[in-house]
Amino acid sequence: MKKNRREMAKSLRLISSDRRRTNMLREWEQKTIAYLVQKIPSCISSDGLTAIGFFGNVTVASGFVMGAFLNRYWLLLSLPGFLINWIGDSLDGRLAYYRNKPRKWYGFSLDVTVDWIGTFLIGLGYTLYAPGWWKYAGFFFVVLYGWEMITAQLRYKISGQYSIDSGIFGPTEVRLLLGTIITIEVFVPNSIQYLASAACIVLLISNLVEARNLLRLADERDKVDRDLKEEEYKKKRMENA
């Protein structure tokens, strides 16, 4: 029992080494990830998990397409799709850190690229399913989620601390929200039109709040850089006096 606790504590420390989480489900999620990375077979690499996560997004998009052309009950395919995506997307980088084989910049670049393509495919699937002007809700969701990704990267550039969350919302909360909306649509047809629009409004508000925080952080960084330059200038003047 003590050995298991030590392994869990070690795993938690390794997977959290370069990332700050602020999402609502962070405690449960971190413990789950810390447990799962210990169980991943050695034949599965971080890149393999990234591919698994991407397959999950393709599954979600496929659910929308089949829901549009076959039967709306195919939308339920998105639920295992989101689960598969969570497993791959949440464990790929964490597995690398757990195995002490991190490729920080390669992993960051690959993760952002694959996430964006997956988000685009889901948004495209929604536009095929939704009727009329409601298609634009999918377009706006992709734009807003892309904005959230850009904010996370800018925050990383400014502070040096990478966070994939936008306040209390992270990718896991977004997956749960989308899964709930899609499930309701299966049993209450046409509800997705209104719920997706409401989700866009929530994401817009969250992005605006995070943008304000980002600008405040950037302003503080500018002040620190300006003070350092002034100190260097004064020091050079004193040396040349």
Side-chain angles (χ1 to χ4, degrees):
M1 184 67 71
K2 289 184 178 179
K3 181 180 179 181
N4 290 338
R5 285 200 295 266
R6 285 198 299 269
E7 284 294 324
M8 178 60 79
K10 176 184 176 183
S11 183
L12 278 168
R13 177 174 53 81
L14 289 172
I15 69 169
S16 305
S17 60
D18 74 326
R19 182 171 293 180
R20 180 175 62 88
R21 301 303 306 273
T22 60
N23 61 315
M24 290 184 291
L25 299 175
R26 62 184 177 278
E27 185 174 348
W28 169 85
E29 187 175 18
Q30 289 292 82
K31 289 181 179 179
T32 303
I33 293 172
Y35 173 78
L36 290 177
V37 292
Q38 302 176 53
K39 306 299 180 181
I40 300 295
S42 59
C43 61
I44 298 179
S45 66
S46 293
D47 286 355
L49 284 170
T50 300
I52 290 172
F54 181 71
F55 174 74
N57 278 336
V58 172
T59 302
V60 176
S62 299
F64 274 119
V65 174
M66 288 188 284
F69 295 103
L70 298 177
N71 188 295
R72 73 173 185 276
Y73 287 98
W74 280 104
L75 291 173
L76 293 174
L77 189 62
S78 66
L79 300 183
F82 281 126
L83 178 60
I84 293 169
N85 175 255
W86 178 85
I87 292 172
D89 190 44
S90 299
L91 297 183
D92 53 2
R94 303 306 92 199
L95 180 69
Y97 277 90
Y98 177 73
R99 292 178 176 175
N100 198 26
K101 297 178 180 179
R103 288 188 290 175
K104 182 177 179 180
W105 298 115
Y106 169 86
F108 173 76
S109 302
L110 179 65
D111 198 44
V112 171
T113 301
V114 172
D115 281 351
W116 175 245
I117 295 174
T119 301
F120 168 77
L121 290 176
I122 293 174
L124 181 61
Y126 174 84
T127 60
L128 292 174
Y129 177 82
W133 290 92
W134 295 106
K135 296 179 184 296
Y136 290 103
F139 169 78
F140 284 118
F141 183 86
V142 170
V143 171
L144 291 169
Y145 196 74
W147 181 5
E148 183 181 26
M149 293 173 66
I150 291 171
T151 298
Q153 294 167 53
L154 289 172
R155 188 188 301 115
Y156 188 23
K157 172 67 175 179
I158 294 169
S159 68
Q161 184 71 44
Y162 185 50
S163 174
I164 60 176
D165 304 319
S166 180
I168 61 175
F169 288 98
T172 301
E173 285 76 13
V174 172
R175 292 185 190 98
L176 289 172
L177 176 62
L178 294 179
T180 301
I181 290 173
I182 293 170
T183 302
I184 294 174
E185 168 66 13
V186 171
F187 300 102
V188 186
N190 301 320
S191 62
I192 196 171
Q193 303 165 8
Y194 306 99
L195 294 175
S197 299
C200 286
I201 293 173
V202 171
L203 193 55
L204 173 62
I205 294 172
S206 177
N207 281 349
L208 289 172
V209 171
E210 287 302 304
R212 183 187 63 181
N213 294 336
L214 176 69
L215 291 173
R216 185 183 297 118
L217 182 65
D219 187 49
E220 292 174 356
R221 175 67 184 269
D222 283 337
K223 291 178 181 178
V224 171
D225 289 347
R226 188 163 55 248
D227 290 343
L228 287 174
K229 287 182 179 180
E230 288 180 359
E231 288 183 10
E232 290 178 2
Y233 178 71
K234 290 179 180 179
K235 188 178 294 185
K236 286 182 179 180
R237 288 190 61 185
M238 291 180 64
E239 290 175 354
N240 295 330

